[in-house]
Amino acid sequence: MLNDCLFCAIAAGEIPGTIVHQDELAVAFRDIDPVAPTHVLVIPRRHVRDLGELADHADDAQAVLAAVREVARIEGLADYRTVLNTGAGAGQSVFHVHAHVIGGRGLSWPPG
Ligand code: DGP
């Protein structure tokens, strides 16, 4: 856990979050500002900055993907979008890697 990391604190239960699913390596919780009926963030418990760093931790990367799949199952989503913003210029605002799981409404492409 990294001091001053919001998502580390949510994973540790120090800051409230609406947990959808968790296991030894990953935690899924609802986004505070949802853009769709389902908007869940999936993070590794390990503090990893972004997708580039996550790629160096195969067990954590696998756990994140499996947790995304589990969130979709729990939420009853056959169709959903998974987004990992990497870098401020791409919209990353919290520098603990997270996969947005978005669904429950129609989703257009390309995104904004
Ligand atoms: P990104 O912009 O890709 O880094 O996404 C960060 C997301 O984190 C954004 O959709 C809003 C969400 N978020 C920010 N602060 C909190 C919080 O305190 N709790 C929860 N549950 N989500 C948060």
Side-chain angles (χ1 to χ4, degrees), residues 21-79:
H21 167 75
Q22 57 184 321
D23 58 33
E24 185 187 347
L25 295 179
V27 181
F29 54 93
R30 296 198 187 280
D31 195 290
I32 202 169
D33 187 20
V35 299
T38 291
H39 188 171
V40 172
L41 303 175
V42 177
I43 65 169
R45 289 188 186 275
R46 179 193 297 273
H47 182 84
V48 173
R49 176 183 173 84
D50 59 18
L51 182 149
E53 284 192 13
L54 183 62
D56 289 331
H57 299 279
D59 288 355
D60 299 299
Q62 191 274 334
V64 167
L65 291 179
V68 168
R69 179 179 61 188
E70 183 61 8
V71 168
R73 189 194 67 75
I74 291 167
E75 296 285 298
L77 299 176
D79 306 311

Side-chain angles (χ1 to χ4, degrees), residues 2 12-15 24 26 32 35 43 56 59 72-74 81 83 86 95 101 105 109:
L2 195 72
E14 296 173 359
I15 291 178
E24 185 187 347
I32 202 169
V35 299
I43 65 169
D56 289 331
D59 288 355
R73 189 194 67 75
I74 291 167
R81 181 165 296 160
V83 175
T86 304
F95 289 86
V101 183
R105 64 166 171 81
W109 191 263

Side-chain angles (χ1 to χ4, degrees), residues 6-7 10 29-32 41 85 91-94 98 100:
L6 173 64
F7 286 177
I10 290 174
F29 54 93
R30 296 198 187 280
D31 195 290
I32 202 169
L41 303 175
N85 294 323
Q92 186 174 7
S93 60
V94 178
H98 48 282
H100 297 254

